[in-house]
Amino acid sequence: KRLILKIDSSGNPVVTIPSIVPYAVAKKFAIQNASWIEKNMNKEQVETLMNGSKIGSEHVVLFKPTTTSKISSRVQNSTISISYPHNLDVSSSEVQAEAKKASVRALRAEANEQLPSLLSSIAEHFGYKYKSVSIKKMNSRWGSCSSSGEIVLNIWLMQLPEDLINYVLCHELAHLNNHNHQAKFWSEVEAMVPDYKILRKQLKNYQPKLKLA
C-alpha cells in the first residue's frame, strides 16, 4: 500500500512498491532520499570478522594462516574455520568474503537444527497445524506463511534474542488463519504473545543481515 525504502543484507538500497506503481516513481523516490541512502548504506556495512567473533548462538570464527595459495573455510561443531594464505591479512576483502559466506552456512545450520522443532512445539501448544516449514536466507522478511500453510523462516532469526524469535514464529502461525494484519490477526498473536506490541517494536531495531554478537 506504500513505498518502502530499506538497505538489504548486502548493503544495497531497495525500494518496495505496490504492483500498480510505475518503476519511474520508485526511481524518483530513491533519488529524493539519496542522502538517507548514503547515510544508512555506510551504517549498515557488516563489521570486520576477527578471531573470536561470535556468530549466531553457537559458532565462533577462527582464522588460520597457511602456506597454501587458496582461501577456504569449514564449519564444524561450533567453529567456523577460515584458512588463508599467510601473505594476506584477515581484514582483506577476499578473506572477509569467505568468512562471511562460512558464517551464513553456520547460521543456516543453526536455523535448520533449532527452528523447525521450536515452531512445531509452539504450534502444538497453541493448536496450530501447518503444511511444511523451510529455512531460507531472506533479505527483508523474518518469515512468511503461504495460503496453503507453508511457513518459511529466515536464517537471520538465529541472531535475534529468544523472545523475538518466538514472537516471529507466533506471528507466522497466526497467518495460517489470517492472511492479513487486521484486528483478528493481532488478537491471535496476542493470545500467544501477550506483550507482542513491545516485541514488535523491539524487532524494528534489527535487520535480516549478518551481525556480530
Side-chain angles (χ1 to χ4, degrees), residues 15-31:
V15 178
T16 303
I17 61 175
S19 59
I20 60 172
V21 174
Y23 172 83
V25 174
K27 183 177 180 180
K28 181 179 179 181
F29 181 66
I31 293 172

Side-chain angles (χ1 to χ4, degrees), residues 41-175:
M41 281 182 70
N42 293 332
K43 182 192 299 183
E44 296 305 327
Q45 293 300 311
V46 176
E47 303 164 72
T48 301
L49 294 166
M50 301 298 289
N51 269 320
S53 292
K54 186 177 179 183
I55 301 296
S57 60
E58 299 177 357
H59 290 86
V60 174
V61 177
L62 177 63
F63 289 92
K64 299 178 180 178
T66 66
T67 56
T68 63
S69 60
K70 294 183 178 180
I71 303 172
S72 62
S73 61
R74 184 179 184 184
V75 178
Q76 186 176 35
N77 298 324
S78 60
T79 303
I80 304 170
S81 301
I82 314 299
S83 299
Y84 65 98
H86 60 80
N87 62 311
L88 291 178
D89 190 83
V90 167
S91 61
S92 68
S93 59
E94 307 99 306
V95 177
Q96 284 294 307
E98 184 65 32
K100 288 163 187 174
K101 285 194 295 184
S103 296
V104 169
R105 296 203 306 272
L107 285 173
R108 192 184 301 277
E110 286 189 17
N112 277 305
E113 180 181 355
Q114 299 179 35
L115 295 181
S117 58
L118 179 57
L119 181 69
S120 176
S121 177
I122 296 174
E124 182 178 359
H125 180 76
F126 289 106
Y128 286 92
K129 292 185 178 180
Y130 51 91
K131 182 178 179 181
S132 65
V133 57
S134 57
I135 308 299
K136 293 183 179 180
K137 176 187 171 185
M138 297 186 285
N139 292 331
S140 59
R141 295 186 294 178
W142 296 106
S144 66
C145 178
S146 71
S147 57
S148 58
E150 297 168 325
I151 292 177
V152 179
L153 300 174
N154 200 335
I155 65 167
W156 304 121
L157 283 168
M158 302 314 301
Q159 300 184 133
L160 297 180
E162 185 177 337
D163 55 352
L164 292 183
I165 296 176
N166 289 336
Y167 162 69
V168 171
L169 268 56
C170 289
H171 182 110
E172 300 311 328
L173 288 172
H175 274 311

